[in-house]
Amino acid sequence: MANTILVGAQWGDEGKGKIIDMLTAKADIVVRSQGGNNAGHTVIHGGKKFILHLIPSGILRARKICVIGNGVVIDPLALVKEIDGLRHLGVKIGRNLLISDCAHLVLPYHRALDEQREQLKGRGKIGTPKRGIGPAYGAQA
């Protein structure tokens, strides 16, 4: 069984999502292994524009199994919104999307903590999108 792994060496905006979308044509299973909904990627597939944050882009292809892995921090509200948006665009989501039972959740207090930490830093803030990703990862330790 061959595997292809794509690792980014930057903070983002390096085209990983678009490359993964091309690689999914030959894959059976597409796994997202880390990160949260603080980033995302836009792909054009079948002439339609799709913006993905948590769900692997393999979801846009028939007969592909997509997995949100245990290293992903999932905001349940963002996930439901993304699923609804994709379904609205005609994407079928059911047994083709699996979620690891070891993935962690971003809860409302993670978002609040993220915002408060950013405010306390004042001019030294790092510019987090305040989606609770950092605090959710920190809570796993």
Side-chain angles (χ1 to χ4, degrees):
M1 176 186 306
N3 295 299
T4 302
I5 299 171
L6 179 65
V7 178
Q10 300 177 5
W11 288 94
D13 289 342
E14 57 198 347
K16 293 185 303 286
K18 290 176 177 71
I19 292 169
I20 287 294
D21 184 53
M22 289 187 292
L23 293 172
T24 61
K26 295 185 179 187
D28 296 318
I29 301 171
V30 182
V31 180
R32 174 148 185 208
S33 61
Q34 54 79 36
N37 68 311
N38 56 321
H41 59 277
T42 302
V43 294
I44 306 296
H45 191 86
K48 291 184 183 177
K49 179 179 172 180
F50 298 90
I51 301 171
L52 302 159
H53 296 281
L54 289 166
I55 300 174
S57 63
I59 203 75
L60 304 175
R61 298 182 185 273
R63 296 176 298 282
K64 305 298 178 183
I65 301 297
C66 292
V67 180
I68 298 176
N70 60 321
V72 179
V73 288
I74 301 170
D75 181 328
L77 300 175
L79 180 60
V80 169
K81 182 178 178 182
E82 188 169 333
I83 289 170
D84 288 346
L86 288 170
R87 284 182 173 153
H88 180 75
L89 292 170
V91 178
K92 293 182 178 162
I93 301 175
R95 293 178 187 228
N96 59 336
L97 178 62
L98 305 174
I99 300 172
S100 170
D101 63 352
C102 294
H104 294 271
L105 296 177
V106 175
L107 300 172
Y109 80 91
H110 292 124
R111 288 187 293 275
L113 186 58
D114 198 1
E115 185 171 356
Q116 290 301 311
R117 285 180 179 168
E118 191 75 349
Q119 283 181 356
L120 286 172
K121 291 178 183 174
R123 289 178 35 187
K125 66 184 178 181
I126 61 172
T128 171
K130 301 178 189 93
R131 293 192 177 150
I133 306 304
Y137 273 123
Q140 296 178 41

